[in-house]
């Protein structure tokens, strides 16, 4: 499998996970002319969760996606971080860097609730990406040409590429690597940003050729 081969045709891509990372990747794949299906095990958008910080390349990616204004409109009201001693006296305060220049501080200029970010990413991809809620991947089979995904509703479909963006307890990761090699995905993965998340292409000797992991949720 070569990168040149990928450029020759439009791929049929299956992404497992409809949180933040999956739709962010789906956005770029769809805009590159690929056909994308996102499956999410929850029956609807899962909009719970704590704050998410956008930093560095994540901010630049949001700008390139045309989503920075939508994100700005949903920012949480967090001006900075204060440290207090045992008597409750403030001993240090670090404010957010809102200048648009330089590095972010402990409080990012772009602090947004996970649920709001999920909604923004879904709205940006809905219509050009197929979403299937209440469905997940039970298992899959692959060879040099395809991936056959077997879904929780007892159906099966063929795809060119399967991406696991199903969070920290990824079932795709569990099924992709044997137990003795799962720990190596952290040490041997090549990463680059997709929004504030990372695509992780495992490079161990036992890595599957048509599956990928996407950290996030």
């Amino acid at each position: 499998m070569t990168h040149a081969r990928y450029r020759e045709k439009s791929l049929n891509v299956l992404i497992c996970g409809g949180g933040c990372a999956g739709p962010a990747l789906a956005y770029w794949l769809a805009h590159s002319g690929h056909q994308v299906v996102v499956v999410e095990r929850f029956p609807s958008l899962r909009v719970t969760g704590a704050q998410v910080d956008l930093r560095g390349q994540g901010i630049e990616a949001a700008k390139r996606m045309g989503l920075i204004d939508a994100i700005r409109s949903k920012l949480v009201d967090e001006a900075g971080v204060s440290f207090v001693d045992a008597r409750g006296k403030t001993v240090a305060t670090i404010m957010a860097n809102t200048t648009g220049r330089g590095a972010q501080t402990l409080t990012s200029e772009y602090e947004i609730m996970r649920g709001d970010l999920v909604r923004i990413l879904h709205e940006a991809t809905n219509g050009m990406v197929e979403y299937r809620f209440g469905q997940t991947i039970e298992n899959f089979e692959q060879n040099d040409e395809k991936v056959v995904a077997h879904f929780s509703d007892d159906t099966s479909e063929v795809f060119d590429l399967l991406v696991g963006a199903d969070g920290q307890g990824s079932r795709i990761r569990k099924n992709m690597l044997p137990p003795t090699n799962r720990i190596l995905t952290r040490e041997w993965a090549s990463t680059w940003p997709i929004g504030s998340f990372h695509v992780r292409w495992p490079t161990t000797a036992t890595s599957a050729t048509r599956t990928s992991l996407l950290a996030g949720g």
Side-chain angles (χ1 to χ4, degrees):
M1 182 182 68
T2 66
H3 293 292
R5 180 179 177 182
Y6 271 156
R7 291 194 293 267
E8 293 173 358
K9 68 172 185 176
S10 173
L11 295 177
N12 188 22
V13 182
L14 174 62
I15 298 176
C16 183
C20 295
L25 175 61
Y27 175 93
W28 293 108
L29 288 173
H31 275 270
S32 297
H34 302 297
Q35 307 301 310
V36 185
V37 175
V38 177
V39 294
E40 168 57 50
R41 65 188 179 94
F42 279 79
S44 60
L45 280 180
R46 187 166 63 89
V47 294
T48 56
Q51 290 175 212
V52 175
D53 295 7
L54 267 68
R55 299 175 180 272
Q57 299 100 324
I59 297 172
E60 179 61 27
K63 291 178 179 178
R64 295 187 183 187
M65 295 169 78
L67 302 179
I68 200 67
D69 288 338
I71 290 172
R72 280 188 183 276
S73 71
K74 295 293 184 180
L75 296 182
V76 300
D77 185 16
E78 184 177 321
V81 176
S82 291
F83 297 89
V84 299
D85 60 19
R87 295 171 294 177
K89 180 182 178 180
T90 299
V91 296
T93 297
I94 302 176
M95 303 299 292
N97 177 7
T98 59
T99 66
R101 301 185 301 274
Q104 299 293 311
T105 66
L106 290 177
T107 296
S108 171
E109 180 182 1
Y110 297 93
E111 299 262 356
I112 183 172
M113 297 303 295
R114 178 191 176 279
D116 289 329
L117 184 58
V118 166
R119 291 188 185 97
I120 289 171
L121 290 169
H122 181 261
E123 290 172 4
T125 53
N126 197 24
M128 60 180 178
V129 171
E130 180 184 350
Y131 282 91
R132 302 178 187 175
F133 293 99
Q135 187 181 59
T136 191
I137 302 168
E138 293 296 331
N139 54 72
F140 60 87
E141 304 158 2
Q142 64 180 340
N143 55 35
D144 290 340
E145 299 296 328
K146 65 185 179 182
V147 177
V148 180
H150 304 287
F151 297 105
S152 53
D153 61 358
D154 294 328
T155 62
S156 299
E157 292 183 45
V158 177
F159 295 88
D160 295 303
L161 181 68
L162 168 62
V163 179
D166 47 344
Q168 198 170 24
S170 172
R171 297 179 67 181
I172 302 303
R173 176 170 60 247
K174 180 180 178 181
N175 289 328
M176 188 179 78
L177 297 175
T180 55
N181 288 315
R182 285 173 197 159
I183 191 66
L184 297 180
T185 57
R186 287 185 179 274
E187 182 177 354
W188 296 99
S190 300
T191 68
W192 59 93
I194 291 293
S196 54
F197 310 94
H198 292 81
V199 177
R200 306 177 69 242
W201 295 87
T203 56
T204 62
T206 56
S207 294
T209 58
R210 298 227 162 223
T211 56
S212 175
L213 304 177
L214 190 61

